[in-house]
């Protein structure tokens, strides 16, 4: 071992130093193994299989600061879809013995991949799609010799959560554009630029690889075939596409059919041209731009002020690892939890049936960030989280019973929801107003008749300009006041919460009987089966009542 202590050895041979250190560590661990084994043999083996005594606060409900999971959530995104382009046709000839100049036998190109969409259970967010942005189906393969057609491109399936609304924003169809060019060419007296009859177009034709540059100008090309479309395009929804995927789907819906492949050189063989040395390229794929938005965020949405105990309640009801803390704005984005009713082990907790008539095995809960006074004026976390509230089927107002007057807190929460609905109605009215600008190049104002026609008149430079924006109108949601709702009183284990519980219970009983106006200030608001459920989320006490009451409201 003496050579290892030489001063130049670590510098010249550093691997010897590391080997020496690893051997020392392994020898130490080997020496400690017998002591560990003696310690394990001396410990008594317990035969008692009873569950350990739980701590007053469960570690799941009151975790350390580092034990939480970040929920990546997105309820709105824009997607750019590219259907697969068609493969190019092949230029090939028969090459066999005793056949000097064989006929053309090039295959056609394969069709491009299609784009489908399907609403599936289990997905709760659009963040996977929002992260990608651009989705492309596979391009079709080129044709081959011996009349072998190209392989089809692989289809693209987009899976979205149930309750997603798909709306088309923009569309570019190359087949429609080529058809319009061909129509203009036939109606025009003079040939226009890009005319395909008897001319070479790089974006449409393919020449034989051994062709000389002079042949591009001297070759006689036949008329370009008409733009073709796949037969599957007949099953596409009408443009502009607008889909409401509110139920799980067994089969996907076709959004964009792949383009057809190019034609091989046998299609252009004639008496004068028996061996054509050209083929056509595949059609370009359709390009679409969609806006996806979740109409239904969750079955139940927690609404409350900051630090009301919503995240702790979500942990108590589900296995969510939402961040909890004794400060305001612990939750900065919605957290989604799932309450399992039937885990396929024994008898289910509760019997429930969903809208489609199938047995409900679970329901989702959304922990929405806390609201501040005047949140409809974009204060606090702003309008984005008020938008999440209207996407819940049932509202659970989480009120701190140990704090201030719970009745005033409930009324303040309903006030923010009402103001947000008024703001939405005002914005919708502004968007529906068509701002029309009438302009005339020569002369006075535009005649009234042309303003109604909305077209360019001959003889007058009358133009109507619609100043509407390209953005889509907001989704139409049911009024929040008509949704089922109830109150959850948190921190009921504290001594000061009993008085507040009695106060809000008396208030809800009076509202149910019609003695007091609804907190939503709406005549047609929900007022049946109003109830306050006292719980202690950090102790896990009383949370089962929330599950039972929620299932009863979902079954209505």
């Amino acid at each position: 071992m003496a050579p290892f202590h030489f001063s130049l050895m670590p510098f010249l041979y550093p691997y010897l130093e590391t080997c020496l250190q690893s051997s020392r560590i392994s020898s130490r661990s080997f020496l400690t193994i017998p002591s560990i084994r003696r310690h394990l043999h001396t410990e008594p083996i317990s035969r008692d299989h009873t569950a350990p005594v739980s701590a007053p606060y469960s570690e799941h409900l009151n975790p350390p600061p580092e034990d939480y999971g970040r929920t990546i959530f997105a309820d709105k995104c824009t997607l750019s879809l590219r259907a697969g382009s068609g493969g190019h046709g092949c230029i090939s000839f028969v090459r066999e013995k005793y056949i000097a100049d064989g006929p053309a036998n090039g295959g056609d190109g394969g069709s491009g991949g299609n784009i489908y969409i399907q609403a599936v259970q289990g997905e709760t967010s659009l963040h996977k799609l929002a992260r990608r942005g651009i989705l492309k189906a596979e391009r079709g393969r080129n044709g081959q010799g011996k009349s072998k057609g190209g392989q089809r491109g692989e289809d693209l399936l987009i899976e979205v959560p149930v309750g997603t609304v798909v709306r088309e924003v923009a569309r570019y169809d190359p087949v429609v554009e080529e058809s319009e060019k061909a129509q203009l060419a036939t109606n025009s007296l003079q040939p226009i630029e890009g005319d395909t009859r008897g001319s070479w177009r790089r974006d449409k034709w393919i020449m034989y690889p051994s062709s000389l540059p002079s042949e591009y100008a001297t070759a006689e090309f036949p008329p370009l075939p008409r733009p073709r479309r796949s037969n599957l395009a007949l099953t596409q929804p009408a443009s502009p596409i607008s889909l409401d995927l509110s139920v799980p789907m067994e089969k996907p819906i076709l959004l964009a059919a792949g383009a057809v492949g190019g034609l091989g050189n046998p299609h252009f063989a004639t008496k004068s041209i028996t061996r054509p040395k050209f083929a056509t390229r595949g059609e370009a794929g359709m390009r679409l731009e969609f806006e996806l938005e979740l109409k239904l965020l969750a079955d139940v949405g927690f609404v409350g002020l900051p630090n009301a105990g919503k995240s702790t309640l979500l942990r108590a009801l589900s296995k969510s690892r939402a961040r909890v803390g004794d400060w305001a704005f612990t939750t900065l984005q919605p957290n989604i939890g799932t309450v399992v009713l039937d885990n396929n082990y024994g008898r289910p907790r509760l019997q429930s049936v969903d809208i489609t008539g199938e047995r409900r095995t679970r329901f989702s809960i959304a922990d929405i960030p806390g609201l501040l006074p005047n949140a409809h004026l974009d204060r606090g976390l702003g309008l984005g989280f008020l938008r999440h509230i209207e996407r819940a089927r049932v509202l659970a107002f989480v009120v701190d019973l140990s704090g201030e007057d719970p009745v005033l807190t409930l009324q303040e929460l309903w006030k923010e929801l009402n103001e947000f609905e008024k703001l939405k109605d005002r914005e919708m009215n502004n968007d529906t107003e068509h701002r029309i600008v009438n302009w005339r190049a020569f002369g006075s104002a535009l005649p009234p008749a042309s303003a109604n026609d909305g077209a360019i008149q001959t003889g007058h430079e009358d133009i109507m300009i619609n100043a509407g924006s390209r953005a889509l109108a907001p989704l139409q949601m049911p009024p929040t006041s008509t949704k089922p709702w109830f109150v959850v009183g948190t921190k009921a284990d504290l001594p000061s919460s009993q008085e507040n519980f009695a106060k809000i219970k008396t208030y809800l009983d009076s509202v149910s009987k019609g003695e007091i106006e609804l907190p939503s200030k709406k005549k047609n608001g929900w007022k049946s089966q109003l109830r306050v459920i006292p719980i202690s989320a950090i102790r896990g006490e009383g949370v089962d009542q929330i599950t039972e009451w929620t299932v009863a409201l979902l079954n209505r």
Side-chain angles (χ1 to χ4, degrees):
M1 301 299 291
F4 292 105
H5 296 287
F6 192 72
S7 59
L8 296 180
M9 288 301 293
F11 176 74
L12 297 177
Y13 307 100
Y15 68 94
L16 296 177
E17 181 87 7
T18 57
C19 292
L20 179 60
Q21 293 179 358
S22 61
S23 62
R24 291 176 180 175
I25 294 173
S26 61
S27 61
R28 292 176 183 174
S29 60
F30 179 77
L31 292 176
T32 56
I33 289 176
S35 61
I36 296 176
R37 288 179 177 175
R38 286 195 299 269
H39 178 68
L40 293 176
H41 282 295
T42 54
E43 289 183 353
I45 300 177
S46 175
R47 299 295 181 182
D48 187 11
H49 297 284
T50 58
V53 180
S54 60
Y57 297 152
S58 173
E59 186 176 354
H60 177 70
L61 301 179
N62 189 22
E66 67 275 2
D67 185 19
Y68 69 91
R70 179 174 176 265
T71 302
I72 303 176
F73 179 81
D75 65 340
K76 190 176 182 181
C77 70
T78 302
L79 285 182
S80 296
L81 305 182
R82 306 287 188 270
S85 301
H88 303 327
C90 178
I91 306 172
S92 177
F93 304 96
V94 175
R95 298 186 62 181
E96 295 181 3
K97 193 175 183 180
Y98 305 116
I99 300 179
D101 296 326
N105 67 344
D108 298 340
S111 301
N114 308 318
I115 300 179
Y116 297 89
I117 190 169
Q118 184 178 12
V120 297
Q121 293 181 341
E123 296 288 340
T124 57
S125 175
L126 297 174
H127 69 277
K128 298 179 183 178
L129 299 176
R131 187 165 45 196
R132 299 178 66 178
I134 300 177
L135 300 177
K136 299 180 181 179
E138 188 179 9
R139 175 183 174 273
R141 304 295 178 87
N142 297 336
Q144 300 178 5
K146 299 183 180 180
S147 300
K148 293 182 180 179
Q151 187 178 1
R152 286 186 63 253
E154 186 176 356
D155 297 337
L156 175 65
L157 177 61
I158 303 174
E159 294 183 347
V160 297
V162 177
T164 303
V165 176
V166 183
R167 295 185 291 177
E168 180 182 333
V169 179
R171 172 189 293 252
Y172 171 73
D173 193 349
V175 176
V176 174
E177 184 179 359
E178 288 296 329
S179 301
E180 292 177 354
K181 286 184 178 180
Q183 186 69 21
L184 290 175
T186 55
N187 296 337
S188 178
L189 298 178
Q190 298 178 356
I192 62 174
E193 183 180 357
D195 189 7
T196 59
R197 186 174 297 275
S199 62
W200 157 259
R201 284 184 60 179
R202 182 179 296 273
D203 59 335
K204 294 298 180 181
W205 293 103
I206 296 178
M207 290 292 292
Y208 195 65
S210 61
S211 300
L212 299 176
S214 59
E215 297 182 12
Y216 288 77
T218 59
E220 296 182 2
F221 293 93
L224 191 67
R226 292 184 304 173
R228 297 175 300 145
R229 193 186 298 273
S230 174
N231 295 331
L232 290 176
L234 299 175
T235 62
Q236 292 179 187
S239 174
I241 298 176
S242 179
L243 303 175
D244 187 357
L245 310 179
S246 56
V247 294
M249 301 167 53
E250 296 182 358
K251 297 181 180 180
I253 296 177
L254 178 64
L255 287 182
V260 297
L263 301 177
N265 59 341
H267 292 273
F268 307 102
T270 60
K271 293 182 179 180
S272 58
I273 305 177
T274 58
R275 291 169 52 87
K277 295 185 177 181
F278 44 80
T280 59
R281 297 180 180 271
E283 300 288 346
M286 184 186 303
R287 291 181 291 178
L288 298 170
E289 186 175 350
F290 286 97
E291 183 180 274
L292 276 64
E293 191 169 358
L294 274 178
K295 184 178 67 173
L296 180 62
L297 177 63
D299 295 322
V300 184
F302 289 161
V303 184
L305 298 177
N307 201 23
K310 299 184 296 298
S311 300
T312 307
L313 178 57
L314 181 66
R315 276 180 168 260
L317 290 171
S318 65
K319 294 184 179 180
S320 173
R321 298 179 59 224
R323 186 176 185 179
V324 296
D326 192 13
W327 59 85
F329 294 114
T330 308
T331 304
L332 299 179
Q333 60 184 0
N335 295 317
I336 307 297
T338 302
V339 179
V340 179
L341 301 178
D342 186 5
N343 57 0
N344 298 324
Y345 288 99
R347 184 176 298 176
R349 297 172 56 186
L350 295 170
Q351 297 288 345
S352 178
V353 179
D354 58 8
I355 302 176
T356 59
E358 298 182 357
R359 187 168 57 91
R360 179 184 283 111
T361 59
R362 63 191 65 193
F363 65 87
S364 57
I365 302 177
D367 172 24
I368 302 171
L371 301 179
L372 285 178
N374 296 326
H376 66 281
L377 300 178
D378 210 8
R379 294 183 181 178
L381 294 179
L383 299 172
F385 301 107
L386 283 168
R387 182 168 52 89
H388 295 149
I389 295 175
E390 63 180 357
R391 284 165 167 75
R393 188 174 298 170
V394 178
L395 300 181
F397 290 88
V398 182
V399 178
D400 185 3
L401 295 180
S402 64
E404 300 177 355
D405 189 359
V407 176
L408 294 179
T409 302
L410 180 63
Q411 293 176 351
E412 285 292 332
L413 293 174
W414 270 113
K415 178 184 176 182
E416 296 302 325
L417 298 183
N418 294 335
E419 293 295 334
F420 176 65
E421 285 190 358
K422 293 179 182 179
L423 181 62
K424 279 189 57 182
D425 295 340
R426 195 179 306 117
E427 291 179 353
M428 189 176 302
N429 293 334
N430 294 335
D431 292 338
T432 53
E433 292 179 358
H434 297 285
R435 295 172 295 172
I436 300 175
V437 179
N438 298 330
W439 174 80
R440 185 174 181 179
F442 306 101
S444 59
L446 195 68
S450 60
N452 297 327
D453 294 338
I456 300 177
Q457 297 182 351
T458 58
H460 303 278
E461 293 294 334
D462 298 341
I463 298 177
M464 172 180 285
I465 301 175
N466 187 358
S469 61
R470 185 186 176 190
L472 296 176
L475 289 179
Q476 293 291 335
M477 298 294 179
T480 309
S481 57
T482 60
K483 295 183 177 182
W485 61 276
F486 62 98
V487 180
V488 178
T490 60
K491 306 177 184 179
D493 55 331
L494 300 180
S496 58
S497 61
Q498 298 180 2
E499 182 180 353
N500 287 334
F501 172 72
K503 184 182 299 184
I504 192 171
K505 186 177 183 302
T506 304
Y507 172 75
L508 293 179
D509 292 341
S510 302
V511 171
S512 300
K513 297 176 182 178
E515 300 175 357
I516 302 178
E517 186 182 12
L518 287 170
S520 60
K521 308 297 182 182
K522 300 295 179 62
K523 295 182 180 180
N524 58 345
W526 177 274
K527 61 179 179 180
S528 61
Q529 296 183 348
L530 296 181
R531 181 185 177 186
V532 54
I533 302 177
I535 65 164
S536 175
I538 199 169
R539 295 178 179 269
E541 299 175 354
V543 295
D544 293 337
Q545 302 180 39
I546 299 177
T547 304
E548 298 174 359
W549 192 255
T550 301
V551 171
L553 293 178
L554 293 175
N555 290 338
R556 290 180 60 89

